[in-house]
Amino acid sequence: MNPPKTFGIWGNTEKESFWETLPKIVSWADESGLIAHLTTRILKDDNCSDNKRPAIKSKDDMGLLDFMLVLGGDGTFLSLARAMEHRQTPILGIHLGDLGFLAKVTKADLFSRLNQVAAGDFILENRMLAKAIVKKNGGSIHHIGLNDFVLSNGESHRMLSATVHVNDQLVGDYKADGLIIATPTGSTAYSLSAGGPIVTPAVDSLIITPVSAHTLTSRPLVVPANSKIILSFKGTDESILFIADGQIHETIDPSCEIEITKSEYEINLIDFEDCDYFQTLRTKMGWGRRGDG
């Protein structure tokens, strides 16, 4: 890859570790001949002592940069991924805690990885996004998710009744505490804790996972990414809670219909030749460890 000249910083400004790490990255950028741009949220924060840096004022500003650096956890990464929309600026995630599935670089190897990026020694990994269209009365609301969309009966905690069609063919009526439609990226998040399969990012697919299904015959289902998943809720008389990536919450009427498909655009993640998806799985999930006893 071509060595970058500019990059932006997007971060979780509520973390003390963000403010500890930010000056070090800005100093590294100056020493490496890169121009660091900061979001207006960072620049306006009382903790920011270097507010003369170039500002990222809009999503289009991010699209003009060579890459975006995310400081935080996977949640911070998800918020940037949605904000990027169709812009192809690569994203590198720096996890301020332990290793993450999305923010792969830790503070321990931060500058060795940044030096690789500055030298153009990195690869790009494409990740699909899912698109949800909530349809009602001839109108529609669009949402994008990198991980998943979750449907539940919200505050009542009552059972959700959802009818699922894939490509106009009936899959079945799901009766469960909730329903998750996940991407391969999101297969290691909420879907996994609900009993869904791990699907590697290279497998172009969508995963339908019921949450605490009320019938033993309801099982997770993996369908091709070019499928059109239609959800309807005729058996429900209460409002439905719709959640995108665990961050965007919206209450919708049960008369609505939701269409979920693969988004027409993807995001680019900065990765490295020596990174290993399965090593990350082993580390995060403790695979292959001996028992303590």
Side-chain angles (χ1 to χ4, degrees), residues 21-88:
T21 308
L22 179 63
K24 300 174 185 177
I25 292 176
V26 171
S27 295
W28 167 86
D30 291 343
E31 293 168 5
S32 303
L34 275 72
I35 301 174
H37 295 62
L38 306 182
T39 63
T40 52
R41 179 176 179 177
I42 296 172
L43 290 168
K44 291 178 180 178
D45 195 288
D46 292 339
N47 290 299
C48 185
S49 58
D50 188 4
N51 54 17
K52 291 185 169 52
R53 296 279 166 179
I56 300 172
K57 299 178 181 178
S58 67
K59 295 177 181 179
D60 286 336
D61 285 348
M62 293 192 294
L64 299 174
L65 299 172
D66 290 331
F67 73 95
M68 287 294 298
L69 192 64
V70 190
L71 299 173
D74 282 352
T76 311
F77 194 107
L78 288 167
S79 64
L80 173 60
R82 288 195 310 277
M84 289 298 296
E85 295 177 342
H86 61 276
R87 299 162 189 87
Q88 295 299 296

Side-chain angles (χ1 to χ4, degrees), residues 256-284:
C256 289
E257 183 178 88
I258 300 176
E259 176 185 304
I260 298 176
T261 58
K262 178 181 178 178
S263 172
E264 57 270 24
Y265 46 81
E266 301 175 319
I267 63 164
N268 292 316
L269 307 191
I270 289 179
D271 205 352
F272 305 95
E273 292 284 0
D274 62 335
C275 279
D276 182 342
Y277 176 80
F278 296 105
Q279 174 62 46
T280 302
L281 281 180
R282 290 195 299 272
T283 302
K284 293 288 289 183

Side-chain angles (χ1 to χ4, degrees), residues 197-251:
I198 294 175
V199 179
T200 61
V203 179
D204 220 20
S205 57
L206 290 165
I207 304 114
I208 304 170
T209 306
V211 180
S212 300
H214 290 230
T215 57
L216 294 175
T217 54
S218 289
R219 297 295 182 211
L221 176 66
V222 180
V223 299
N226 61 3
S227 302
K228 180 173 67 175
I229 301 171
I230 301 291
L231 309 176
S232 57
F233 311 95
K234 294 191 171 83
T236 300
D237 56 6
E238 298 184 10
S239 59
I240 309 291
L241 182 61
F242 172 91
I243 307 170
D245 281 344
Q247 297 176 334
I248 304 298
H249 295 66
E250 184 172 325
T251 301

